[in-house]
Amino acid sequence: MQPGCFECFNTLCMGLKKSKPRRFQEYDGVSSSGVESKTVQSVVEFESIHRDAVTCINAYAPGTCLTGGKDNLVVLFNWKQGVTLCQWSGHSRDVTKVKYVGETIYSSSRDKTIKVWQTSKAGNEPILTFEGHRLVVTAIDLNEDGTLLFSGSRDNCVRLWDTTKNTSISEKEVSRNLVSCVKWIPGTQAQVAQTGEDKMVRIWDTRNMQPSFTFPAQQYFQTCCDCSRDGQFILTCSNGFNGKGCEATLWDVRAKGMVCRYFGHQQTTSACIFLPHLEHVSSKYLIATASHDSTVKIWEKDSTECLATLDFSGAGPLTDLCAWDDGSLCVSTTNMGVYQCVLESREGKPELIKKRQF
């Protein structure tokens, strides 16, 4: 982070709220997994960084997250200091996804554009705007060195952009492929996982902009995807209601098949992520899911056992998740901003604890 970023936005820094009592100072109940939690959770509350629903979130530096909202804003917030580091307001409609490489921020929007920002240059004017999609841009991701940007839209198209030349390289349209999420597969130079409302999970080869493989069609819309750090697995989740659908699914990229499913949410599962391997929490590999039923669940990847459930009553549908290597997670919500949580071990089992709200 360049020093100028902090200096330009000292006036926007958000402090602790002293006069207003915490709305939810503890969580004391029985989770839907049947695991009873009696831990008192004292939550530090900061001023809200968005004026409306927070639609997307991404892990930035330790203690810092990048968010996008229905208020058209992109915000970089440090929860340890309780300050907004940078804020950008150049979109004319909801921000749908936020990504970054180094100090370069990318945001997609319902205004059909992808905008590029610098942390050293906050304000209303992006340093670059990518235009070409004809409808809402719903998904973006970058390769490891940030030279290529892959995007998807409700116009049934995926696009590949050269960020070094600021140009569109190629475009591919697939009938009824309303894209919901794209993720570059780690360790590959040319493979991107993509989910959409045609219920398919595709692996795109960016060298020819053709699907190199498509997993079997699912019963429900696929809302989100994530890739394991070794590039071997893809995690997806789906829409649903009253416990039908609402699941997450693990796919094996090399074997080109489904491994297992995770059942337990009651409404649309909106976000899913592979968690970093935390030896102090569990010797097993874990995943996390967030849902419109206002819960986050922690699962054991291989056994599919739900190990912990944290309720966010009053927050409305949960919209996105991200995680850091120290066990921190952030959850974006429709009604109550962003919660920062910590994954810890309690009596030999993982427990997710609310720490801050902003």
Side-chain angles (χ1 to χ4, degrees):
M1 184 66 61
Q2 295 183 4
C5 179
F6 291 87
E7 293 172 0
C8 291
F9 276 82
N10 282 337
T11 57
L12 293 176
C13 293
M14 303 300 183
L16 284 169
K17 294 173 69 176
K18 300 295 185 180
S19 59
K20 183 177 178 181
R22 183 68 183 88
R23 282 168 287 184
F24 292 92
Q25 291 191 332
E26 64 181 50
Y27 171 74
D28 186 4
V30 181
S31 73
S32 59
S33 65
V35 179
E36 186 173 1
S37 174
K38 292 293 184 181
T39 302
V40 174
Q41 299 190 359
S42 179
V43 180
V44 177
E45 183 178 329
F46 299 106
E47 293 283 353
S48 298
I49 61 174
H50 287 278
R51 300 186 298 268
D52 208 327
V54 183
T55 54
C56 51
I57 194 165
N58 197 6
Y60 196 73
T64 307
C65 68
L66 181 66
T67 62
K70 197 173 179 180
D71 56 3
N72 311 341
L73 295 178
V74 177
V75 178
L76 189 62
F77 185 79
N78 184 307
W79 73 70
K80 290 185 177 180
Q81 300 176 6
V83 298
T84 295
L85 305 180
C86 290
Q87 178 177 284
W88 301 274
S89 55
H91 283 294
S92 61
R93 297 194 65 187
D94 313 16
V95 177
T96 56
K97 291 289 190 299
V98 285
K99 299 291 177 179
Y100 75 95
V101 172
E103 296 185 352
T104 304
I105 308 296
Y106 295 80
S107 58
S108 59
S109 171
R110 292 183 64 85
D111 64 13
K112 308 175 190 177
T113 71
I114 302 165
K115 294 187 183 294
V116 187
W117 319 87
Q118 284 288 342
T119 56
S120 58
K121 185 181 179 181
N124 299 334
E125 293 300 324
I127 62 172
L128 184 68
T129 298
F130 290 120
E131 296 180 291
H133 282 294
R134 297 175 293 278
L135 291 173
V136 179
V137 185
T138 50
I140 54 172
D141 201 20
L142 295 123
N143 64 349
E144 291 180 358
D145 62 9
T147 57
L148 295 174
L149 172 70
F150 196 89
S151 64
S153 167
R154 292 189 68 84
D155 62 8
N156 301 324
C157 290
V158 292
R159 279 180 174 263
L160 185 67
W161 311 81
D162 186 329
T163 62
T164 64
K165 298 179 180 178
N166 305 330
T167 58
S168 175
I169 300 174
S170 56
E171 175 187 17
K172 180 67 176 180
E173 182 174 357
V174 178
S175 177
R176 297 184 294 177
N177 183 30
L178 283 74
V179 178
S180 59
C181 189
V182 299
K183 288 291 173 65
W184 217 286
I185 299 179
T188 70
Q189 295 298 318
Q191 288 189 314
V192 178
Q194 180 247 310
T195 54
E197 292 189 13
D198 63 355
K199 306 176 184 178
M200 309 292 283
V201 182
R202 293 181 175 84
I203 308 297
W204 288 90
D205 188 331
T206 60
R207 292 169 294 188
N208 58 16
M209 286 301 283
Q210 295 290 332
S212 60
F213 182 76
T214 302
F215 291 104
Q218 301 301 290
Q219 188 174 359
Y220 299 91
F221 293 165
Q222 301 297 292
T223 58
C224 181
C225 62
D226 192 29
C227 301
S228 61
R229 294 187 179 188
D230 61 5
Q232 183 177 351
F233 298 101
I234 296 172
L235 184 65
T236 65
C237 53
S238 69
N239 76 332
F241 58 93
N242 294 335
K244 296 181 179 179
C246 320
E247 72 259 19
T249 305
L250 184 68
W251 308 91
D252 190 316
V253 176
R254 297 171 190 169
K256 299 181 178 179
M258 186 186 76
V259 179
C260 58
R261 295 191 195 275
Y262 308 85
F263 298 100
H265 284 297
Q266 296 303 304
Q267 301 296 330
T268 292
T269 305
S270 50
C272 56
I273 56 172
F274 290 94
L275 294 174
H277 194 201
L278 303 168
E279 286 288 353
H280 68 283
V281 175
S282 174
S283 61
K284 307 293 185 179
Y285 286 94
L286 307 177
I287 66 171
T289 56
S291 170
H292 288 185
D293 64 13
S294 300
T295 66
V296 170
K297 290 182 179 291
I298 307 297
W299 313 79
E300 187 177 298
K301 179 177 76 71
D302 296 325
S303 72
T304 74
E305 180 185 0
C306 182
L307 302 176
T309 298
L310 183 57
D311 180 64
F312 294 82
S313 295
L318 306 184
T319 56
D320 208 354
L321 278 172
C322 63
W324 287 257
D325 288 342
D326 64 357
S328 294
L329 282 81
C330 274
V331 184
S332 56
T333 76
T334 302
N335 298 332
M336 299 182 72
V338 178
Y339 279 94
Q340 181 257 331
C341 307
V342 174
L343 191 60
E344 298 180 348
S345 178
R346 178 173 178 251
E347 297 179 356
K349 287 194 173 183
E351 182 177 36
L352 193 59
I353 301 172
K354 298 174 187 174
K355 292 293 186 179
R356 298 171 179 89
Q357 183 194 5
F358 48 89

